[in-house]
């Protein structure tokens, strides 16, 4: 395949490529700026190795820096700026980039000479470079460390072919039109954001970058700029809805889709979206599959609360007979984890299907529901219990701020569910039990409610249930 | 990849799949009908081999028959019903299908038992069959014999991967939206028509089948049915424009594109399209690339008369330094000609580029123009002459009905252009020469004008210049 940056500069030179709210670049200008930056990266000896790490927010310069690395034929190692020094050090020591480029505002005193501020690059005198002519399908474009909720982070490798397959499957579901513009407020160092960048280069579509999630700003952008699509997580969607209550100015006419990742939405939120004519597509995917592999379209949403819809084109999806684990085949699947091929091989079953680690079920019309993580599943007296379901049952109690459920070993039942609760109020065990029995099968109700000051979470804010288990 | 018929039945069961003007089938109904037909094909022992030939117009039954063959894991051999018995026999003897299925209205007395009328199939009692679960990327879906203008026809093999790559590249240029409907009046036994069928299965998009080109009918369909796209050749476009002159009822609102193949259009036609707000996308492609690989979008058309635009995404296109031949790389490229791999290898240059046999040039902004066939090119005194250009210069003379130009060997110039003319009037050589010199460089003007009753043409109506050369 042609280098996508060069390709769009050739076929759509005058089309908008990127807009951060202050600067707009066409695809021709994008190519010029990326070439200039590539020359500066070379001058700074950053292009000597195979990989370059980047740590940035969704800024224009961060976006350009990433494309300069790709355009020079190097692999991006995306670093989450929320990580601790130790976590960053582990990822860099695993991926061995020539350098880690850091947005100036994220630079830390603790960083050594491996870390290079963006301004050091942009202050270089560019040397002459030619961008690579091709983006070969099998070449690794990006590496993202999945924080996971257990164990050592794994560097997920994503090839250009993976990104193309993902962007293609998305097209056949959401549609694509010349003039589309995708608002990117989710981090470009996660697959949710980086896949928007890749779709931009593949479709010849504009990216509207928003530096961080600011509901008021985004509501304003959706009202006044020709955005067709925005990627959101449930929290963002709910915040955006609040602004819709106060203001009836509609979004621009070509607004077509809120692509929701990170879990399904509840019925009240969905109803609000419908009242305000906001089409929501609920999706399911992971870093290992280069973004969404399954989607529930707006028209089906009402009757399928909690579902993530049906597998996209190019995705084959089935459930393991043994334990209902979601198994997939897709050309968007990572070729593996960096330096940990054995760990990746363990995630393939004996017929080559990728084991997602999620447990799911289909309804009678073939809509998929994700029940929870296989690792989190509690088996009690032969029954499966998913912490998510139990936690959701307690979510609306005023005396519970946060709750996490894990399995505790039990001589009689094998395991029993146990809850950790963050609360300012005293906990009434009997009342909590009675409450749960009204909402859940009895075996799903936690046998104990344990107060805790704070739930342990990882860098992306997911509860680390394995740490709670260690407390038992 | 999942079997696309099953996939769409699963993800878009209620969406319109095909409509011939009388019957509408959803994707779920399509799967049911295709499964039924597959059972009847099996009962008739048609599925015993690897291939099944089909000879049909764009009828619903022909469409279903083709999908029943694909859905059963067999390769379709498409037979042009305009071919002579001998030509058909050669193609069947080369491809060795288990049978040749023939639409009843196309059945000939001369056909032996290898030919099976559609009604013989539909009268079978279906046996139970399961459609194949997958359409593997490398598997050959279809074989089409290119008539070419010289030599023995070659069976171009098209894999599922080829069709997917072509449909994908088309999407990124033309856009695709849920609810799109593509009118197919070009033959489904040519890549222009069959690629519409494949896009339907890949996008989950409806095909509106029209049995043969009837401008009045198609104008009516475009006014009253929600067609988004239609594929046309220049003749069809001009005929459709005539109906637009008489009637101002606009096409339906979601009409988006006339995709034009088979050569560029002239300025007056283009201007008429613009006046009538008909967006035309001019494209370039061939059977070997599974349809379009280059396209000129409507917005660029005015300033680029005669151009076929820019290479689509996934297509790499360059010109040979030696002779300006158009060279391409694309995942839509055929893996080769059936039983003639040596002939295919000769069309690849030493760095793996496919030699199209067309000569072209780029303008200063990178728009591609096709000048003519390398085989037809006349080299006279070191200058290249393309018959198309010379013929076009004479096209408007009232005393010339048809004209074809070929090279004649010449001791002084190597070759000189010679014209064959179909005309009712006597030919005035001096006047014809003087006329040409006003319009063309002198070396391009034919040195002789030879009267002929009829130009020799192949099955698709292309002039066979090699036969004219034999007359010299």
């Amino acid at each position: 395949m042609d280098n996508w940056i060069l390709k769009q500069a050739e076929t759509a030179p005058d089309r908008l490529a990127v807009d951060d709210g202050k600067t707009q670049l066409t695809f021709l200008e994008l190519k010029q700026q990326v070439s200039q930056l590539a020359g500066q990266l070379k001058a700074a000896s950053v292009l000597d190795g195979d990989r370059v790490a980047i740590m940035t927010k969704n800024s224009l310069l961060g976006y350009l820096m990433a494309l300069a690395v790709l355009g020079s034929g190097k692999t991006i190692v995306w670093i989450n700026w929320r990580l601790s020094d130790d976590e960053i050090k582990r990822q860099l020591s695993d991926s061995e980039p020539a350098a880690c480029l850091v947005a100036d505002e994220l630079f830390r005193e603790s960083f050594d000479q491996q870390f290079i501020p963006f301004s050091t690059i942009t202050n270089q005198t560019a040397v002459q470079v030619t961008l690579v002519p091709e983006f070969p399908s099998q070449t690794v474009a990006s590496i993202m460390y999945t924080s996971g909720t257990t164990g050592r982070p794994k560097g997920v490798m994503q090839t250009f072919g993976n990104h193309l397959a993902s962007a293609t499957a998305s097209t056949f579901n959401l549609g694509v039109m010349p003039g589309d513009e995708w608002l990117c407020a989710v981090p470009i160092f996660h697959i949710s954001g980086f896949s928007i960048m890749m779709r931009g280069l593949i479709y010849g579509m504009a990216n509207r970058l928003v530096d961080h999630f600011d509901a008021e700003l985004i509501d304003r952008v959706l009202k006044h700029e020709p955005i067709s699509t925005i990627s959101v997580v449930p929290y963002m969607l709910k915040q955006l809805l609040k602004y819709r209550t106060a203001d009836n100015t509609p979004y621009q006419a070509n607004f077509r889709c809120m692509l929701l990742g990170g879990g399904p939405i509840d019925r009240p939120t969905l109803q609000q979206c419908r009242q305000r004519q906001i089409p929501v597509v609920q999706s399911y995917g992971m870093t290992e599959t280069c973004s969404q592999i399954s989607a529930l379209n707006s028209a089906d949403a009402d009757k399928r609360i909690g579902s993530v819809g049906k597998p996209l084109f190019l995705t084959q999806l089935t459930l393991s007979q043994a334990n209902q684990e979601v198994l997939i085949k897709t050309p968007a699947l990572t070729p593996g984890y960096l330096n940990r091929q054995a760990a990746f091989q363990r995630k393939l079953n004996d017929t080559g299907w990728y084991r997602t680690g999620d447990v799911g079920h289909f309804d009678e019309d073939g809509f998929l529901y994700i029940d929870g993580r296989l690792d989190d599943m509690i088996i009690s007296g032969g029954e499966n219990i998913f912490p998510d379901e139990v936690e959701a049952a307690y979510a609306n109690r005023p005396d519970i701020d946060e709750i996490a459920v894990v399995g505790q070993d039990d001589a009689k039942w094998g395991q029993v569910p146990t809850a950790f609760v963050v609360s300012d109020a005293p906990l009434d065990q009997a009342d909590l039990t009675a409450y749960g029995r009204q909402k859940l099968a009895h075996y799903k109700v936690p046998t104990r409610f344990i107060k805790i000051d704070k739930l342990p979470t990882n860098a992306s804010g997911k509860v680390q249930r394995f740490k709670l288990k260690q407390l038992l």
Side-chain angles (χ1 to χ4, degrees), chain A:
Chain A
M1 295 184 285
D2 278 321
N3 175 327
W4 300 340
I5 303 161
L6 301 178
K7 183 75 176 176
Q8 295 299 349
E10 176 196 326
T11 55
D14 303 326
R15 206 184 277 179
L16 182 67
V18 63
D19 176 359
D20 70 347
K22 294 187 288 286
T23 304
Q24 289 83 39
L25 299 179
T26 64
F27 278 103
L28 183 59
E29 292 164 339
L30 180 67
K31 173 189 146 187
Q32 290 159 346
Q33 298 235 0
V34 164
S35 301
Q36 161 79 6
L37 262 185
Q40 292 171 318
L41 287 173
K42 180 156 183 165
S45 304
V46 166
L47 301 181
D48 294 347
D50 293 333
R51 303 188 190 113
V52 181
I54 301 181
M55 181 166 149
T56 183
K57 295 188 179 179
N58 290 7
S59 66
L60 180 61
L61 189 53
Y63 168 95
L64 291 171
M65 210 60 90
L67 294 192
V69 169
L70 280 191
S72 305
K74 307 301 175 186
T75 297
I76 302 169
V77 178
W78 281 113
I79 302 293
N80 180 345
W81 56 267
R82 287 201 165 87
L83 298 180
S84 70
D85 281 13
D86 275 358
E87 289 170 309
I88 293 172
K89 201 179 293 174
R90 276 203 297 275
Q91 298 187 0
L92 296 183
S93 132
D94 187 51
S95 55
E96 298 182 307
C100 180
L101 310 176
V102 185
D104 287 25
E105 72 273 19
L106 299 175
F107 206 85
R108 306 179 193 175
E109 277 191 20
S110 52
F111 284 172
D112 63 16
Q113 77 284 355
Q114 189 183 10
F115 296 83
I116 305 178
F118 282 178
S119 56
T120 301
I121 303 297
T122 54
N123 286 332
Q124 299 282 325
T125 303
V127 299
Q128 189 68 35
V129 291
T130 309
L131 298 184
V132 291
E134 298 190 0
F135 280 176
S137 188
Q138 310 291 323
T139 293
V140 176
S142 44
I143 295 173
M144 288 179 192
Y145 283 85
T146 51
S147 46
T149 49
T150 55
R152 189 172 125 207
K154 297 184 284 277
V156 180
M157 300 187 284
Q158 298 150 339
T159 65
F160 286 107
N162 292 154
H163 286 295
L164 176 64
S166 170
T168 300
S170 176
T171 300
F172 296 157
N173 184 48
L174 301 179
V176 66
M177 288 294 286
D180 275 359
E181 189 168 341
W182 201 307
L183 193 153
C184 179
V186 288
I188 57 177
F189 57 79
H190 281 167
I191 191 59
S192 53
F194 189 54
S195 64
I196 299 172
M197 286 181 58
M198 294 291 95
R199 289 182 205 119
L201 294 185
I202 292 167
Y203 306 161
M205 173 189 72
N207 277 195
R208 173 63 163 92
L209 296 176
V210 173
D211 197 58
H212 65 287
F213 180 71
D214 172 341
E216 186 186 356
L217 168 68
I218 291 174
D219 186 68
R220 200 163 59 233
V221 170
L222 292 174
K223 284 186 304 202
H224 299 296
E225 297 181 25
I227 305 299
S228 51
T229 314
I230 177 176
S231 296
V232 293
V233 296
Y235 166 79
M236 292 165 67
L237 175 58
K238 288 180 184 181
Q239 293 298 312
L240 286 170
L241 279 172
K242 287 188 186 166
Y243 281 87
R244 295 282 79 201
T245 315
D247 180 357
N248 287 319
T249 316
Y251 293 163
Q252 287 278 301
N254 52 342
F255 183 75
R256 201 163 72 225
C257 171
M258 288 220 186
L259 181 63
L260 181 82
I265 51 173
D266 51 274
R267 192 181 296 277
T269 305
L270 185 70
Q271 280 167 345
Q272 281 186 58
C273 291
R274 199 169 293 282
Q275 280 164 16
R276 292 171 177 77
Q277 297 182 304
I278 299 174
V280 177
V281 173
Q282 300 175 69
S283 68
Y284 165 66
M286 54 211 79
T287 308
E288 284 87 343
T289 60
C290 242
S291 159
Q292 14 147 20
I293 50 170
S294 166
L296 178 71
N297 290 329
S298 198
D300 294 319
D302 260 344
K303 292 183 189 159
R304 317 285 172 178
I305 295 288
S307 170
V308 291
K310 296 195 172 180
L312 298 185
F313 202 78
L314 302 179
T315 299
Q316 296 178 271
L317 193 152
T318 188
L319 299 178
S320 145
Q321 289 198 325
N323 57 11
Q324 300 286 103
E325 185 176 11
V326 176
L327 306 177
I328 50 172
K329 283 188 181 176
T330 161
L333 183 69
T334 176
Y337 301 122
L338 184 67
N339 304 326
R340 299 188 64 187
Q341 280 305 24
F344 184 69
Q345 286 305 317
R346 281 195 296 274
K347 298 190 86 170
L348 300 178
N349 78 3
D350 49 12
T351 48
W353 291 79
Y354 176 74
R355 299 170 42 234
T356 60
D358 290 320
V359 177
H361 68 274
F362 288 109
D363 69 15
E364 66 283 8
D365 296 318
F367 287 83
L368 177 66
Y369 296 73
I370 302 299
D371 298 314
R373 296 290 297 165
L374 188 58
D375 285 345
D376 294 335
M377 193 170 78
I378 301 160
I379 304 177
S380 186
E383 300 280 2
N384 295 345
I385 303 171
F386 291 98
D388 287 352
E389 186 189 2
V390 181
E391 290 158 14
Y394 284 92
N396 290 329
R397 270 184 76 107
D399 58 344
I400 292 185
D401 293 331
E402 290 181 84
I403 181 168
V405 173
V406 298
Q408 176 164 27
D409 291 341
D410 184 87
K412 183 172 178 193
W413 302 107
Q415 286 188 301
V416 290
T418 304
F420 285 88
V421 174
V422 179
S423 172
D424 289 333
L427 296 184
D428 179 338
Q429 301 278 335
D431 184 48
L432 286 165
T433 302
Y435 180 85
R437 290 187 171 198
Q438 287 174 356
K439 302 197 153 222
L440 296 165
H442 288 196
Y443 66 86
K444 294 181 184 174
V445 177
T447 52
R448 275 205 296 163
F449 295 84
I450 302 169
K451 244 188 164 178
I452 192 169
D453 289 341
K454 194 172 172 300
L455 296 175
T457 57
N458 68 11
S460 24
K462 285 186 190 164
V463 172
Q464 292 168 304
R465 291 202 179 90
F466 75 99
K467 288 197 177 167
L468 292 173
K469 276 193 194 174
Q470 288 165 3
L471 297 178
L472 289 174

